[in-house]
Amino acid sequence: MSQTKSQKRAVVLASGGLDSTTALAIARSEGFECYSISFDYGQRMRAELVAAERAAKALGSVEHKVITLDLGAIGGSALTDTSIDVPETQTQGVPITYVPARNTVFLSIALGWAEVLEADDIFIGVNAVDYSGYPDCRPDYIAAYESMANLATRAGTEGHRLRIRTPLIDLSKAEIVKRGVALGVDYALTVSCYQADDDGRACGVCDSCRLRRFGFEAAGVDDPTRYR
């Protein structure tokens, strides 16, 4: 499965939210054929899977996969255990909405697909500025994972260096919004809320909703989010 320079491929992790959708738009703007991947991992916000598929179609993904996992089986997060309430006020430290090992699991499956596609680039919309304190969104984690990926794969050992691309990692939420708007992203397609209803309407009070709302306000862009 050889690819010419004009046919370079990238796997893009797509959650259906603001950040991952912007990362997908950036990958497309850099000339990649984008293969987007989402995860049905037992999360309470089912509407994000619909949003991810919408965004992938709108932004021209060549293929969009949904991989089914059950991270709810290990629990430990308000996003996978409905007996744990999603915080509606700011908390200190790593919040209970952190899903143990989520990005490591997601990146590993994306890495496998990248090998099959002979894609050297994996895009993920992690952010280390306006984020919720998740340890697997930090630059040192991404650097360590990229190093591991190049040791653990046939592609890496055969000289096809794999890159974990994090185009949003140093941007504020407002800068992310501005970047996406410049690339034509329709943020009305996206769902960011940790407890969105089945119709994709946001609660407006969880940490993700607050960061998203502040991002639009600071960017001076109308917020298209539908609230309950």
Side-chain angles (χ1 to χ4, degrees):
M1 188 188 296
S2 63
Q3 52 184 306
T4 67
K5 189 172 183 179
S6 63
Q7 296 174 317
K8 58 183 182 177
R9 299 184 179 95
V11 173
V12 184
L13 277 72
S15 72
L18 184 151
D19 292 344
S20 71
T21 303
T22 307
L24 176 56
I26 290 171
R28 185 186 66 169
S29 75
E30 293 184 6
F32 286 96
E33 288 187 343
C34 295
Y35 293 77
S36 53
I37 185 168
S38 299
F39 297 90
D40 182 352
Y41 62 93
Q43 65 270 51
R44 64 165 76 204
M45 53 286 190
R46 311 298 298 170
E48 73 174 22
L49 293 169
V50 177
E53 187 171 1
R54 275 197 311 255
K57 183 177 181 180
L59 291 171
S61 287
V62 176
E63 185 176 353
H64 177 69
K65 282 187 182 294
V66 179
I67 304 296
T68 301
L69 306 168
D70 185 14
L71 295 183
I74 63 173
S77 171
L79 300 192
T80 57
D81 185 342
T82 55
S83 70
I84 302 174
D85 291 335
V86 172
E88 296 186 350
T89 58
Q90 283 188 297
T91 58
Q92 298 298 314
V94 178
I96 195 62
T97 50
Y98 163 69
V99 180
R102 181 174 60 178
N103 280 350
T104 301
V105 172
F106 289 1
L107 279 170
S108 295
I109 295 173
L111 176 62
W113 196 23
E115 276 211 279
V116 171
L117 294 169
E118 297 183 6
D120 294 340
D121 296 82
I122 298 171
F123 283 75
I124 181 171
V126 295
N127 177 258
V129 181
D130 289 340
Y131 78 123
S132 298
Y134 297 157
D136 54 2
C137 289
R138 297 174 298 162
D140 52 352
Y141 163 75
I142 295 297
Y145 191 93
E146 181 177 274
S147 178
M148 182 280 298
N150 281 287
L151 291 170
T153 56
R154 182 174 64 187
T157 59
E158 291 180 350
H160 295 282
R161 181 162 183 80
L162 294 154
R163 297 187 297 170
I164 308 299
R165 303 285 302 278
T166 57
L168 314 181
I169 201 156
D170 295 321
L171 302 183
S172 69
K173 194 66 76 177
E175 289 171 328
I176 293 169
V177 169
K178 289 179 181 178
R179 184 75 186 276
V181 168
L183 292 172
V185 174
D186 179 2
Y187 286 117
L189 300 176
T190 66
V191 174
S192 300
C193 179
Y194 288 152
Q195 45 191 357
D197 66 15
D198 289 342
D199 192 40
R201 293 176 298 182
C203 72
V205 292
C206 71
D207 192 43
S208 185
C209 279
R210 288 196 303 272
L211 288 172
R212 179 181 170 112
R213 185 173 61 250
F214 294 156
F216 280 108
E217 289 176 355
V221 174
D222 289 340
D223 182 358
T225 307
R226 294 181 303 120
Y227 293 99
R228 294 201 294 269

